[in-house]
Amino acid sequence: MMKKLLLLTVVGLYTLTSHGQKKTVDQRVDSVLRLMTLEEKVGQMNQYNGPWAATGPLTNDDKLLDQIREGKVGSMLNATGVARTRELQQLALQSRLKIPLLFGQDVIHGYRTIFPIPLAEAASWDMDAIRQSARIAATEVSAAGVHWTFAPMVDIARDPRWGRVMEGAGEDPYLGSMIATARVKGFQGNGYGKTDAVMACAKHFAAYGAAVGGRDYNSVDMSLRQLHEVYLPPFKSAADAGVATFMNSFNDLNGIPATGNSYLQRDLLKGQWKFKGFVVSDWGSVGEMINHGFSKDNYEAAMQAANAGSDMDMESRSYIQHLVKLVKEGKVKMTVIDDAVRRILKKKFEMGLFDDPFRYCNEEREKAQWNNPAHLSAAREMAKKSIVLLKNNGVLPLAKNSGAPRTIALIGPFARAKSDNLGFWSYDWPDDSARIISVFEGVQRKTGPDTRLLYAKGCNVNDTSTAGFAEAIAAASQADIIILTVGEARDMTGEAKSRSSIRLPGVQEELAKAIIATGKPVVVLISAGRPLVFNHIADNAPAVVYTWWLGTQAGDAIADVLFGDYNPSGKLPMTFPLTEGQIPIYYNYYSTGRPATSDSDRFYRSAYTDLSLYPKYPFGFGKSYTTFEYSDIQLSKKTFSAKEKTDVTVTVKNTGNYDGEEVVQLYIRDITGSVVRPVKELKGFRKIWLAKGESKEVVFTLSVDDLRFYNDKLQYIYEPGDFVVYVGGNSREVKEAGFTLLK
Ligand code: NOJ
């Protein structure tokens, strides 16, 4: 009874002004802040991992639950499920001020229903579908008591050796920015605070994707111009879309660890960008500044991180151990603490947690979201759209009903795989084997009694044994059609999964050679979390389909594409290199004084003597079962002033035998600038559907805002002069036209 009374008193203080009017959120935050001791404030800045699951090295602490009761914990990660979060929230409500906990979780591409990995979704270039995928993830995880996802990852990645490419949207700042917005809006559902939405977190701030050599956690040294032009735009878009939180990153940037970097967190994010949410550190990244050689000890690390604008310490325990002392000793100002705590409390208020700390704890809702058929079908749609057809010599699509007996052999380590389809950063549920659809099952569901299916694994994903080859070749020789599945296992791309070789692991390439050598129609499916190098397959197999890791519905989605129920429309969000020696390779590079225009240029080349200039597959590439023809570009104005705009029009015609979708891409080039400009920059795209034989006019409007860039003083300006505009179905095969921006 006493406890209840105290709760009411404190909550009463939170909600009404002395005149009995309803307080604004800021007033409510202040009224709580006024009651807090320094220790309680520091507690809000402390985040612990749930004792049940770890995504990094766990520091030793068995007093976790006591600390929650004492108001020393503001947030927990990896505590999910209504029962568990309720239990922990109850402990928080035993603390003096009863400030509720925030529960955060890595929900990167789904929770109960696993969607394609983010890089695969990016290949759809379908913003509505991507937004919907995040919306569904939020619906599912918010029903499990969670308030906050550590997503989207919006790091631009130009190096496929880096394991975390799977988590982002690829190499392009424009596409990456559009996707950042779509994901934030999806997770936050147009305004978090509703019980089916979660707070999003733009990570990893900043430039984590530029780690030297693609080695995870590595240093980053780059010009501020490059930072602003390439790496920051998706973060800015996330901020503009109202993302609730940011996470800083493990890397140092130009010598200062991101966690202790006040240029990034104070000057830019909270200063110029006016970001009102809070910044959480990455796991242990406050304490890791000691290893960077930037902080002497945890005391100094806590001081540097807090002063630089890191509001919450994820698991390094530096804040909880040292911040009180640091304030008392005058090393961290009380205003720094108050600002951080205000930001954190504000989110708790906006999430409605002060009004009802258990509003996300509803067993019925949790149960209802557990098996939601609409989510499964959305996951299948998303998976179909994420698939990229790289090659097709007419083998695809396969007929569903052959009309005569036929044999299809499914070969390779992924033909019957289940959990590998989920990819990294996904959850394993006890009923996964029934829920996840394998390729074999997908094919089985499409084909009738005329079709006999054979299966042979051939080899494991990553060992040296060729013992299964004979069986695979025997199955292949009996088959009319072969579906060969190769790729990376689920844990080969992801955090701390950088690879120096991005070839197919183990003996898979040899298996592929043997199967292709049978001369039969072979369709190769490649499942992976990153661009791989697979030249023998690319050059010799009749058909190659890049399936990434597609999630719970992988097998059905793949079968939809193989059997023509869906005409593939995915386009690569990253350049695929010819070999690792070309890395880093990306389409929007700067020209040089000796630019190469073809592989036969002997001197005018900024490439290697032993390699082609060109990647294996360019950014934006992806085929369809049909073909598209682009008309020449029409410009409404070939010269225009800064106050005017020009329309860029092309007509796209479906010239093949199937209805289909095309991603029409627009790039520009600023021919001369006060700083050098990329040879191409994506500035727009449209995904259009065209019936067989149909033509559509696609109109893009260009204004000076599309022509802006950062000059050497970091001003975001446009400069009059000559430009080229390109439109096409990938970054290489384009139509072009010139225009002039007048003074
Ligand atoms: C480390 C990862 O870098 C980050 O992305 C993730 O959100 C945290 N661990 C929490 O699991």
Side-chain angles (χ1 to χ4, degrees), residues 55 77 106 150 164 203-204 247 250 282-283 314 495:
T55 53
L77 76 150
D106 288 295
F150 303 125
R164 299 198 79 170
K203 71 187 189 184
H204 306 83
M247 183 185 291
F250 288 125
D282 202 344
W283 181 300
M314 181 192 285
E495 186 180 347

Side-chain angles (χ1 to χ4, degrees), residues 549-600:
W549 289 323
L550 292 175
T552 314
Q553 292 286 288
D556 276 339
I558 290 169
D560 285 337
V561 165
L562 294 181
F563 292 90
D565 284 338
Y566 182 77
N567 186 354
S569 62
K571 301 276 189 176
L572 299 176
M574 277 186 88
T575 306
F576 275 44
L578 201 54
T579 81
E580 293 87 347
Q582 286 183 324
I583 299 170
I585 187 163
Y586 43 91
Y587 82 93
N588 46 358
Y589 56 89
Y590 297 136
S591 186
T592 67
R594 296 188 174 190
T597 48
S598 82
D599 275 338
S600 55

Side-chain angles (χ1 to χ4, degrees), residues 79 111 136 162 247 369 372 381 403 450 456-457 469 473 480 576 619 683 743:
Y111 178 65
I136 288 173
W162 188 46
M247 183 185 291
Q369 293 308 335
N372 187 327
E381 286 304 302
D450 275 356
K457 189 170 182 191
F469 278 27
I473 293 164
D480 303 299
F576 275 44
F619 174 81
K683 290 291 174 181
K743 286 212 169 85

Side-chain angles (χ1 to χ4, degrees), residues 97-226:
L97 291 175
K98 310 180 187 329
I99 299 176
L101 289 168
L102 266 181
F103 295 108
Q105 185 81 11
D106 288 295
V107 180
I108 309 297
H109 53 113
Y111 178 65
R112 167 66 171 159
T113 311
I114 303 300
F115 278 69
I117 56 166
L119 186 64
E121 289 193 351
S124 74
W125 298 55
D126 186 327
M127 298 308 117
D128 290 340
I130 290 174
R131 182 175 167 148
Q132 179 63 3
S133 158
R135 188 83 288 286
I136 288 173
T139 308
E140 291 185 354
V141 80
S142 61
V146 172
H147 313 129
W148 178 21
T149 177
F150 303 125
M153 183 188 105
V154 301
D155 295 307
I156 295 297
R158 292 171 156 185
D159 190 332
R161 293 171 301 181
W162 188 46
R164 299 198 79 170
V165 296
M166 52 110 354
E167 256 185 90
E171 76 187 34
D172 184 64
Y174 180 87
L175 180 62
S177 299
M178 304 284 285
I179 292 177
T181 301
R183 291 198 165 125
V184 168
K185 290 200 182 285
F187 287 128
Q188 298 192 165
N190 283 333
Y192 52 87
K194 311 249 170 14
T195 48
D196 67 348
V198 290
M199 303 196 304
C201 181
K203 71 187 189 184
H204 306 83
F205 198 57
Y208 182 39
V212 172
R215 297 196 293 279
D216 212 357
Y217 315 123
N218 213 357
S219 322
V220 175
D221 206 323
M222 68 166 63
S223 73
L224 287 183
R225 231 173 52 68
Q226 173 151 173

